[in-house]
Amino acid sequence: MIFSNLLVKWYLQNKRDLPWRNTQNPYYIWLSEIMLQQTRVAQGMPYFYSFIENFPTVFDLANATEQEVLKLWQGLGYYSRARNLHKTAQIVAYELNGTFPNNYKALLKLKGVGDYTAAAIASFSFNEKVPVVDGNVFRVLSRYFGIESDISIASTKKEFQDLAFELMPNDAIATFNQAIMEFGALQCVPKNPNCSVCVMNHSCVALQKKMVNQLPVKSKKVKVSQRYFNYLILEDENEKTIINQRTDKGIWHNLYEFPLIETLADVDDKIIATLIKEHLLFENKINNIFSLNDKSQLHILTHQRLHIKFWKIEINGVLQNGIDIEKLKTYPFPIVLFNFIENHFRN
C-alpha cells in the first residue's frame, strides 16, 4: 500500500537513534514507554539512562523504596506514572518471576499500562500484530486520510485502531508502529508542518483540502482551575526547617512539600500570620514573616494553574522534627519546590 511503503521508507532514512529501539527487552521498552507518556523524548532520555543505571533489572526497581523511585523521577511530572511503575515492577518481579507478559491482552492487566503502552510493548518486544495509537498516530492518519471524526470521543479510538491494523504489514510490525509515531513526531507535527518536503504530500487528503491545521478534530476542552499555594519556609534557631508528605489523592501524591496554606487568591503577610494562628500549624513563637517572592510564581499543570508564594517564617526556639539542609535535599519534591530549594538553600 502506498501509505505504508512511503512511511517505512521515510522512517528508515530519518529515524532517531534511541536506546529503546536497539533492544527487544520488554523491561527497557516498558520503562521508556511509561516515561514518554505526555513527555518529550529529549526530556525523557536522561531519566531513562538514570533509571537503567540505578535499576538495571526489573528486580532492582522492585526492591527499591517508593521514595527512591520518586526521587529519581523528580522533575519528570505526572508522578502517578512513577508510583504505578514501581508497583508494576513488584508484580512482575515477585508474582511473574521477572518475566513480562508476552501479549497485548495480558500486558493490559499491569498497573499503569493502557491500550497504547500494551500495544507498544507487545509489538516491539514480541512482534504481535497490534497497532499503537497515540496523539501522533491520530494526527498522521486523520490528516492523510482526511478523517474528521472527533478524537475526544471514545468510539473514535476504535475507528483509528481498525484503520491502523489494516495498514500494518504482516512482517516488520515493530518497524511500522515505530515509523508512524516517528513520522508524527518529526514530520507531521501539530503546528505548521513543512508539507512541502513531506513524502506524503501528493496523496495527503488534508493537504489537498487545505485542512492540515484543522485535523485532527478535538472538541473537548479541558477545564483549568486556578489554585493559590502559600508555602511556609520555617527556620528555627538551628537553621532547621520542616516538611510534610502529601498523602491526599491528587497532584504530587506521596511527594514532600513545606507546610502549605491554600487560599482563594493571593494574600499578604498579615493574612498569612492570621491563617497560621487559625490552622495551629506549629507551636513556636513567630519572630518574623516575610515574602520570598512578592509576585506569585506560576506553575502550569495539565488541568491546573498554581500560583505559588514562598513565605519565610523565622521562629523562636527549636522545631520539633526539624531537618537540616543536607537531609532536606534527599527527599523527593515536586520540581517547582526542588528548584526553590536549590536556589534558596545554598550550602
Side-chain angles (χ1 to χ4, degrees), residues 253-268:
H253 179 65
N254 281 0
L255 295 180
Y256 286 80
E257 64 182 358
F258 297 100
L260 170 66
I261 296 178
E262 185 171 354
T263 53
L264 298 176
D266 274 332
V267 295
D268 59 23

Side-chain angles (χ1 to χ4, degrees), residues 84-244:
N84 288 336
L85 190 83
H86 190 221
K87 289 172 184 173
T88 295
Q90 292 174 330
I91 291 169
V92 172
Y94 305 147
E95 298 178 23
L96 303 177
N97 299 316
T99 302
F100 276 82
N102 65 359
N103 64 84
Y104 171 76
K105 286 187 177 178
L107 285 161
L108 276 175
K109 296 177 182 177
L110 297 177
K111 195 166 183 64
V113 174
D115 289 338
Y116 163 77
T117 304
I121 300 169
S123 61
F124 302 156
S125 291
F126 307 110
N127 207 37
E128 183 178 356
K129 188 175 180 180
V130 56
V132 294
V133 178
D134 67 350
N136 287 320
V137 177
F138 274 129
R139 189 166 57 257
V140 172
L141 294 180
S142 67
R143 286 176 175 172
Y144 184 82
F145 293 98
I147 301 171
E148 297 181 45
S149 302
D150 188 344
I151 65 171
S152 66
I153 299 172
S155 59
T156 300
K157 188 172 186 179
K158 178 71 164 57
E159 178 184 350
F160 278 86
Q161 284 176 324
D162 291 344
L163 174 58
F165 185 82
E166 288 178 25
L167 296 168
M168 292 181 76
N170 289 321
D171 55 354
I173 291 164
T175 301
F176 175 85
N177 275 344
Q178 293 279 17
I180 194 167
M181 291 192 298
E182 190 79 333
F183 190 75
L186 300 183
Q187 174 60 49
C188 195
V189 294
K191 294 182 180 179
N192 303 316
N194 188 354
C195 297
S196 64
V197 299
C198 179
V199 296
M200 307 278 194
N201 58 19
H202 294 297
S203 47
C204 175
V205 173
L207 185 59
Q208 312 309 322
K209 291 186 175 182
K210 301 187 185 330
M211 293 182 65
V212 171
N213 291 327
Q214 282 76 53
L215 294 176
V217 174
K218 187 176 183 181
S219 64
K220 200 175 191 178
K221 291 187 178 179
V222 176
K223 184 179 179 182
V224 177
S225 60
Q226 307 291 332
R227 301 178 70 181
Y228 297 84
F229 282 13
N230 296 275
Y231 281 114
L232 310 182
I233 317 303
L234 277 63
E235 184 179 283
D236 68 10
E237 61 185 33
N238 293 330
E239 296 187 346
K240 290 189 176 184
T241 190
I242 57 173
I243 55 174
N244 306 311

Side-chain angles (χ1 to χ4, degrees), residues 27-42:
Y27 173 63
Y28 287 171
I29 291 169
W30 164 71
L31 198 59
S32 69
E33 291 301 333
I34 298 297
M35 285 183 170
L36 295 179
Q37 291 171 5
Q38 298 174 294
T39 299
R40 291 175 289 106
V41 167

